[in-house]
C-alpha cells in the first residue's frame, strides 16, 4: 500500500536569507542574490559572479565548538536541516521513533574546502602532515552524519553524489522510503559550500560561467543574451512525512510529493540529450497518474548555458505537446544561482512554496527569449499569481543523470 | 626552553577558536573534557599549536587531558626561548 507523502518542514540557507517564505517573496519580486565576489584564499583568488551566503553566521547558530568538526558544506547543511525539523514541529515534539527517521542528503563537492586547505598546507607550505580532521570534515557523508547526530536520527543516513541532481535524487529516494512505508519521516535535501580556489578554476576552465562583470544579472536562463551559469553556495532541507500521520498531529503541509523519476542520457559527460530527459518526464507523469495538461508550473533546471536551456525546452515541448504554450515555466537559478549539490532541494522548496502561495516566481533578467527556448509560458518580470495544482521540478546533471520530481498542492 | 606557564596566553588564544566555554579561570589543572574539548578537537588543537610554534609535536603516547599536560608538551618541543 502506498502512503501519501507530505512536505511538512522547510529549511533554507542561501544568499538571500534563511526564512523560506521571506526569500520566496524576494524571488517573486525578481530579486537576485547574485553578485560579483572575490573568492579563494591567500595568494589564490578570483572574481566571479556567485551566490554567496555572506550573512550566514555559523558560529551564532551552531556554537564555536561545533565548527571545529564542520566544513562549510556541513555548516550550511546542518542549519538548513535543523530549521526544517524545527519548522515541522518535530524538535518540540516528535511522535515517531527517531531511530526510524532517515537522513538522505545530496552534495556535489562536499568538504572540498577542507581538502583544498590541506593541500595548500602540504604542497605550498611543505608541511609533513595535514589536519587530523581532514578526513572527517572532507568526506562526502559528513553533512548527513552531522545532521543525524544533531537531530538524533537513527534510520538510514545516506549521501547522494549526482552532480547537479544530487539533492533532487536525495529527495526522490526519501520519497520512495516514506511512500513505501519503510520510514515514517525523513529529512532530505542538499548542501554545497563555497567552492575553494581549485574547484572554481576547474569550473572556469570549462568556459560556461557567466562573466562577473554582469553582477546581479549574470544568470539569464532562456535569454537570447545568456552568457552561462552562476554558481552558488547554500543548503535546503525538506521534512517528508507520511501524510496521514502528519494530518493526525496537525502538521502544516506545504505540498504533497507525488512522483519521482530518474534516468540517464548515457550520451555525453556534459551535453544533455532530450531523450533521457523526456523519458524521466514521461515516467513521472505515469507514476503520478498525470496528463500533460495537469502540469501547471515547471521549475526548470535552466542553468543559462547555450546547450542546456534549449534541450530542456525541446524535451518539455515534446512531452507537453499542445499544452506547452499554456504551461508556466521559470528558472529561479536566475536569482539564487546554481547551488550544484543543493540545487535540486532548493528548487523543490521553490515548487512547494509556489503551490502553497499559488504563485509562480519569474525567470529574472529575461529580456528577449531565445528562439530555441520559446514554446512554453515563460514567467518573467513579476511572479504569476494564479491557481496551480501540480508543479514539476527538473534537475539535469553532468554525466547525464536526470531527476524529475512532481508536487501537488496540499488539499 | 620556555617555562610552561609562559605559554598559557598562546594556549588560551588557540583554545578560544575551539570552545565557547569561558577561559578566564583556565589553569594547569583544568581538564579539557570540562571545557568541551574532545579527542578530535584536541588532535586539531595540537596541530594548530604546531603551526603557531613552528614545531612538530612528536606522536604522543598519551593524549593530554589537562591544560598542564599540554603546556608541558609544547614547552618541551618549542624551539623558542622565553624572553
Amino acid at each position: 500500500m502506498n502512503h501519501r507523502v507530505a512536505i511538512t518542514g522547510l529549511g533554507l540557507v542561501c544568499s538571500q536569507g534563511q526564512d523560506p517564505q521571506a526569500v520566496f517573496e524576494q524571488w517573486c519580486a525578481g530579486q537576485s542574490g547574485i553578485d560579483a565576489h572575490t573568492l579563494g584564499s591567500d595568494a589564490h583568488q578570483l572574481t566571479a559572479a556567485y551566490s554567496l551566503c555572506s550573512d550566514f553566521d555559523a558560529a551564532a547558530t551552531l556554537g564555536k565548538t561545533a565548527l571545529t568538526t564542520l566544513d562549510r558544506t556541513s555548516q550550511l547543511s546542518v542549519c538548513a536541516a535543523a530549521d526544517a525539523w524545527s519548522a515541522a514541529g518535530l524538535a518540540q515534539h516528535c511522535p515517531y521513533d527517531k531511530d526510524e527517521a532517515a537522513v538522505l542528503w545530496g552534495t556535489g563537492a562536499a568538504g572540498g574546502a577542507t581538502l583544498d586547505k590541506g593541500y595548500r598546507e602540504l604542497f605550498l607550505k611543505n608541511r609533513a602532515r595535514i589536519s587530523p580532521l581532514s578526513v572527517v570534515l572532507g568526506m562526502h557523508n559528513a553533512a548527513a552524519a552531522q545532521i543525524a547526530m544533531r537531530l538524533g536520527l537513527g534510520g538510514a543516513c545516506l549521501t547522494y553524489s549526482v552532480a547537479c541532481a544530487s539533492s533532487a535524487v536525495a529527495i526522490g529516494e526519501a520519497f520512495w522510503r516514506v511512500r513505501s512505508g519503510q520510514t515514517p519521516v525523513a529529512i532530505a535535501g542538499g548542501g554545497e559550500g563555497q567552492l575553494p580556489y581549485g574547484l572554481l578554476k576547474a569550473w572556469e576552465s570549462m568556459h560556461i560561467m557567466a562573466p562577473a562583470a554582469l553582477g546581479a544579472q549574470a544568470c539569464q536562463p532562456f535569454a537570447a543574451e545568456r552568457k552561462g551559469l552562476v554558481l552558488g553556495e547554500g543548503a535546503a532541507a525538506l521534512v517528508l512525512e507520511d501524510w496521514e500521520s502528519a494530518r493526525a498531529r496537525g502538521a502544516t503541509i506545504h505540498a504533497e510529493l507525488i512522483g519521482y523519476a530518474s534516468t540517464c542520457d548515457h550520451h555525453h559527460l556534459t551535453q544533455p540529450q532530450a531523450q533521457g530527459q523526456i523519458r524521466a518526464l514521461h515516467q513521472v507523469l505515469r507514476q503520478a497518474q498525470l496528463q500533460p495538461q495537469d502540469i501547471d508550473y515547471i521549475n526548470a533546471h535552466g542553468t543559462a548555458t547555450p546547450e542546456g536551456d534549449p534541450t530542456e525546452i525541446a524535451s518539455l515541448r515534446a512531452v507537453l505537446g499542445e499544452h506547452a504554450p499554456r504551461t508556466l515555466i521559470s528558472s529561479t537559478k536566475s536569482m539564487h544561482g546554481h547551488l550544484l549539490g543543493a540545487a535540486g532541494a532548493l528548487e523543490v522548496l521553490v515548487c512547494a512554496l509556489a503551490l502553497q502561495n499559488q504563485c509562480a516566481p519569474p525567470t529574472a533578467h529575461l529580456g528577449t527569449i531565445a528562439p530555441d527556448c520559446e514554446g512554453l509560458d515563460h514567467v518573467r518580470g513579476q511572479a504569476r499569481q494564479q491557481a496551480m495544482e501540480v508543479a514539476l521540478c527538473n534537475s539535469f546533471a553532468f554525466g547525464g543523470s536526470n531527476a524529475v520530481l512532481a508536487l501537488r498542492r496540499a488539499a | 626552553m620556555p617555562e610552561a606557564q609562559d605559554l598559557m596566553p598562546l594556549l588560551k588564544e588557540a583554545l578560544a577558536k575551539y570552545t565557547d566555554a569561558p577561559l578566564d579561570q583556565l589553569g594547569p589543572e583544568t581538564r579539557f573534557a570540562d571545557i568541551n574539548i574532545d579527542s578530535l578537537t584536541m588532535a586539531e588543537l595540537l596541530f594548530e599549536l604546531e603551526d603557531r610554534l613552528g614545531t612538530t609535536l612528536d606522536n604522543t603516547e598519551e593524549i593530554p587531558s589537562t591544560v598542564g599536560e599540554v603546556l608541558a608538551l609544547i614547552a618541551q618541543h618549542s624551539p623558542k626561548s622565553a624572553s
Side-chain angles (χ1 to χ4, degrees), chain A residues 287-307:
Chain A
Q287 205 192 94
Q289 297 178 307
L290 295 168
Q291 297 300 317
Q293 61 266 31
D294 297 327
I295 310 300
D296 296 302
Y297 168 62
I298 297 171
N299 186 285
H301 186 60
T303 54
T305 58
E307 291 153 343

Side-chain angles (χ1 to χ4, degrees), chain A residues 105-194:
Chain A
W105 206 250
T107 185
T114 294
L115 298 177
D116 184 89
K117 184 166 169 243
Y119 294 149
R120 279 187 274 118
E121 297 281 317
L122 278 178
F123 302 128
L124 295 180
K125 298 181 189 173
N126 288 313
R127 262 183 104 161
R129 300 186 286 166
I130 59 174
S131 164
L133 294 176
S134 300
V135 169
V136 294
L137 262 71
M139 62 190 187
H140 264 67
N141 61 322
Q146 293 280 3
I147 291 166
M149 286 195 296
R150 185 120 181 145
L151 301 180
L153 307 182
C157 183
L158 306 174
T159 300
Y160 296 87
S161 191
V162 196
C164 322
S166 299
S167 49
V169 167
I171 290 168
E173 297 299 320
F175 164 72
W176 282 132
R177 285 173 179 262
V178 177
R179 185 173 159 93
S180 68
Q182 219 177 88
T183 185
V185 65
I187 285 248
E192 199 76 63
Q194 181 188 334

Side-chain angles (χ1 to χ4, degrees), chain A residues 15-16 26-35 49-51 210 214-223 226 228-231 297 299-304 309 329-339 346-347 350 361-367 379-381:
Chain A
S15 57
Q16 291 162 285
Q26 290 185 51
W27 292 328
C28 287
Q31 290 168 12
S32 170
I34 291 165
D35 207 348
Y50 207 81
S51 184
L214 293 176
Q217 302 191 347
C219 188
Q220 302 176 351
F222 309 124
R226 65 188 186 277
L229 54 81
V230 170
L231 300 178
Y297 168 62
N299 186 285
H301 186 60
T303 54
D309 288 3
I329 184 171
S330 66
S331 169
T332 47
K333 285 189 175 75
S334 53
M335 298 174 283
H336 54 63
H338 190 350
L339 265 56
L346 179 55
E347 290 151 29
V350 174
T363 300
H365 340 298
L366 183 50
V379 183
R380 29 187 199 153

